Amino acid sequence: MHNTTAMLIELGAIILALGLLGRLAGRVGFSPIPLYLLAGLAFGHGGILPLQASEEFVATGAEIGVVLLLLMLGLEYSASSLVTTLKTQYPSGAVDLVLNAAPGAVAALLLGWGPVAAVALAGVTWISSSGVIAKVLGDLGRTGNRETPVILCVLVMEDLAMAVYLPILTALLAGVSLAGGSITLLISLGTVGAVLYIALRHGRIVSRAVSSDNAEMLLLVVLGLTLLVAGVAQHLQVSAAVGAFLVGIALSEEVAEGAHGLLSPLRDLFAAVFFVFFGLHTDPADIPPVLLPALALAVVTMLTKIATGWWAARRAGIPSKGRWRTGGTLVARGEFSIVIAGLAVGTEPRIGPLATAYVLLLVVLGPLTARWTEPLASRLTRRSPDKPQNTAPADQSEPVHAGG
């Protein structure tokens, strides 16, 4: 069969299957993400029906999916509010680092993998999945909740921290000199600073440049600008997700609203492809041998991440229900953890299967904890619902910011 024909058939089968799974998940009130991942396992290497012709296209679509998920989150918030939140919530980032990186580092040392592998596994357990969490927030209708800026703040601090962490890890893995690693680190920090400065000081100019009454032109310009910035950011050792998020917050309210409506269908499509791609690269045969240590690590870091979110939301004055929702939403790990493990397998090959099983567990459990942590905590503590304060309750609040 011609390669193009095979690719079209495979893509059609994948998208149709995703649509049916999404409909099934919607009927039972469940996030479709775990079903998308299971579909990826079925279509991936070692699965029931491995893909051949469309794998490269799916890989590209997965990258676009992460970029669009973070762009859409950025459109919900302004640059000034982001900076204000970062200034007030940076202690939450420190708590996040200590509570969630330490279990990975300790596990690697106990397994006898050495200090470099400990730094790598610490990153795997530390970083939440911005892509998964962005999808969950949308699925559960929580983008306007009072606790959502706290969740975004933790995610953005983690993503920005990657601009420091990844160059350091790469240098450690490659045995690069201190000078070489420092240059890479300075480039990364400079890129983040430059994009954030443009978003803060010249966001209106950017908005005027991309604004258009023609929906087609607005879609093309915003999408093109986002992919361009994300690609340049990644080339300069900065997360593409950070670049896309900063583009979103740089756009003014009117442009943000128009772009949001136009890009939502594309985000949903490519986000689904992203989760399928994750499953495609997981061989089911690699999971059983490392399942027990991965499960133990997943349980520990699920609890530490819930504690992180609860503490961060408490600092922000969020009522009890919102605190538990914050912690439960932050549980999922995903794209960054896989990238980090991929970098480290050359030094410690055993980290690959363990990280894959660990991430697969938490990327499935993440949507469940996001939905059920707060009701379960309320039942266990037998607390009465929080009384309304000066602002609206967390589960019924208006969006904190109407646009980026």
Side-chain angles (χ1 to χ4, degrees):
M1 186 183 298
H2 194 275
N3 188 60
T4 303
T5 304
M7 183 183 70
L8 290 174
I9 292 174
E10 288 183 358
L11 286 176
I14 292 172
I15 295 172
L16 177 60
L18 293 178
L20 295 175
L21 290 173
R23 180 180 294 181
L24 174 63
R27 286 188 175 181
V28 298
F30 185 74
S31 171
I33 292 173
L35 299 181
Y36 294 162
L37 287 166
L38 292 175
L41 286 172
F43 287 121
H45 303 292
I48 300 172
L49 188 62
L51 298 180
Q52 300 294 333
S54 61
E55 187 172 354
E56 185 175 346
F57 182 91
V58 172
T60 303
E63 293 285 344
I64 296 173
V66 175
V67 167
L68 289 178
L69 282 167
L70 272 294
L71 168 67
M72 299 297 278
L73 273 183
L75 292 174
E76 298 284 343
Y77 301 93
S78 67
S80 59
S81 67
L82 172 66
V83 171
T84 300
T85 307
L86 289 175
K87 286 181 178 178
T88 58
Q89 287 292 325
Y90 70 87
S92 301
V95 170
D96 182 31
L97 169 62
V98 172
L99 289 183
N100 297 289
V106 171
L109 294 175
L110 290 176
L111 290 168
W113 293 355
V116 175
V119 174
L121 195 57
V124 171
T125 59
W126 171 23
I127 305 298
S128 297
S129 171
S130 300
V132 174
I133 292 169
K135 176 66 173 172
V136 168
L137 288 172
D139 287 346
L140 298 179
R142 295 181 182 173
T143 56
N145 281 19
R146 285 182 58 196
E147 74 271 8
T148 298
V150 178
I151 296 170
L152 292 178
C153 182
V154 173
L155 293 177
V156 170
M157 284 190 290
E158 288 181 347
D159 286 349
L160 291 176
M162 286 294 96
V164 178
Y165 171 82
L166 286 177
I168 292 174
L169 177 63
T170 303
L172 288 174
L173 293 171
V176 176
S177 66
L178 179 62
S182 299
I183 291 173
T184 303
L185 179 59
L186 288 174
I187 291 173
S188 300
L189 293 176
T191 303
V192 172
V195 176
L196 189 56
Y197 173 81
I198 292 172
L200 280 169
R201 300 296 182 184
H202 306 292
R204 292 191 176 277
I205 296 176
V206 175
S207 295
R208 284 199 298 268
V210 303
S211 180
S212 174
D213 294 331
N214 186 301
E216 179 183 352
M217 295 302 103
L218 180 62
L219 172 64
L220 292 174
V221 173
V222 172
L223 181 59
L225 176 64
T226 302
L227 294 176
L228 177 62
V229 172
V232 171
Q234 187 152 299
H235 179 71
L236 295 174
Q237 307 298 319
V238 181
S239 163
V242 171
F245 183 83
L246 293 175
V247 169
I249 66 172
L251 300 179
S252 65
E253 179 176 344
E254 182 179 347
V255 176
E257 289 180 358
H260 193 284
L262 292 171
L263 289 168
S264 291
L266 284 177
R267 174 203 58 190
D268 294 339
L269 170 61
F270 285 106
V273 171
F274 162 70
F275 297 114
V276 169
F277 176 75
F278 184 84
L280 287 176
H281 283 71
T282 303
D283 189 339
D286 291 338
I287 295 177
V290 296
L291 190 57
L292 285 179
L295 181 60
L297 196 57
V299 170
V300 171
T301 54
M302 179 176 67
L303 296 175
T304 56
K305 191 64 87 166
I306 290 174
T308 298
W310 192 95
W311 191 85
R314 181 175 179 270
R315 285 194 76 252
I318 304 298
S320 178
K321 287 187 176 182
R323 296 174 197 173
W324 289 113
R325 281 198 294 266
T326 302
T329 303
L330 288 170
V331 163
R333 295 350 184 246
E335 60 275 9
F336 271 132
S337 298
I338 294 301
V339 169
I340 293 166
L343 291 173
V345 290
T347 301
E348 177 49 70
R350 290 172 293 181
I351 200 173
L354 176 63
T356 298
Y358 168 80
V359 172
L360 187 61
L361 285 168
L362 287 185
V363 86
V364 171
L365 290 173
L368 301 179
T369 59
R371 186 177 185 90
W372 298 111
T373 296
E374 180 264 311
L376 182 60
S378 297
R379 180 173 297 180
L380 291 176
T381 57
R382 297 182 179 180
R383 285 184 175 178
S384 58
D386 294 294
K387 294 181 180 181
Q389 301 181 2
N390 293 331
T391 52
D395 54 351
Q396 295 179 355
S397 60
E398 293 298 321
V400 179
H401 302 287

